[in-house]
Amino acid sequence: MKCLSGRLKSVPVRTAEALRQSIGRSSLRRLRGHASALWRSCWRRCPTLALTLTSNESSLIEHPVYLIDTNVISEARKKSRANPGVIDFFDRVAAAGDPVYLSVITVGELRRGVELIRLRGDTEQARLLEEWLSAVLEQYTDKVLAFDADAAQVWGRLRVPNPEHALDKQIAATALLHDLTVVTRNAGDFAGNGVKVLNPFVVSASSS
């Protein structure tokens, strides 16, 4: 598992405009790491300001970083039979070299899917899914993000006053902490969380 912020120290809470003035163009590539530390520091003091900072500063990042939701990674398993938008998304990020991550929550949901198939007695399908899950974990070896204490605090805030979609809010909390874009088919489940969302299924439909 990986924590994008690493050992970065928390930085003082500043406005988005102050951030723009204090960093030069040569520093933009390092912004994401600082943004993660800023988010952790700022969230504890003022959640609303933290959401504003994430939204305003995201335009300065040269390359987006994605957090893949369970329904998208599951769709990718179909390979050539997958939704065209999902295929196009993975082709584009591969060509651009954009970082792609998974949440431990998604790993847990995938494991649950394997065990449900096994429980109903479909041993062959369970075996195939087990092999696929192992391949996914190998591919994302150092790109599975933990749900840590900071993420848990963000998650707790996101669930008040709307406690629904608990697992999605755990993924949203992770994305907010690391300034990631959640790639999901269920964009509505992330509405109101302040998280950036990309729905590749809708992109496919609108471009056809």
Side-chain angles (χ1 to χ4, degrees), residues 69-173:
D69 197 10
T70 310
N71 47 60
V72 174
I73 195 69
S74 296
E75 181 70 18
R77 184 178 68 88
K78 300 176 184 178
K79 298 182 179 179
S80 62
R81 296 183 293 105
N83 176 274
V86 173
I87 294 175
D88 179 67
F89 166 77
F90 282 104
D91 285 346
R92 285 189 292 105
V93 297
D98 294 333
V100 177
Y101 290 85
L102 294 179
S103 165
V104 291
I105 307 305
T106 289
V107 174
E109 289 185 309
L110 294 175
R111 167 53 61 187
R112 179 176 180 269
V114 173
E115 298 308 320
L116 285 174
I117 296 296
R118 197 190 316 278
L119 180 63
R120 78 183 189 190
D122 192 342
T123 55
E124 178 59 19
Q125 182 64 13
R127 182 187 66 79
L128 292 174
L129 288 176
E130 183 81 50
E131 292 179 355
W132 171 74
L133 178 55
S134 296
V136 168
L137 292 177
E138 182 177 352
Q139 178 182 355
Y140 288 85
T141 298
D142 61 344
K143 294 184 178 180
V144 176
L145 299 180
F147 185 75
D148 60 13
D150 285 327
Q153 291 205 56
V154 177
W155 174 66
R157 290 182 184 273
L158 290 178
R159 297 197 69 204
V160 178
N162 303 308
E164 66 276 2
H165 306 303
L167 293 180
D168 290 328
K169 282 185 168 66
Q170 290 184 351
I171 293 174

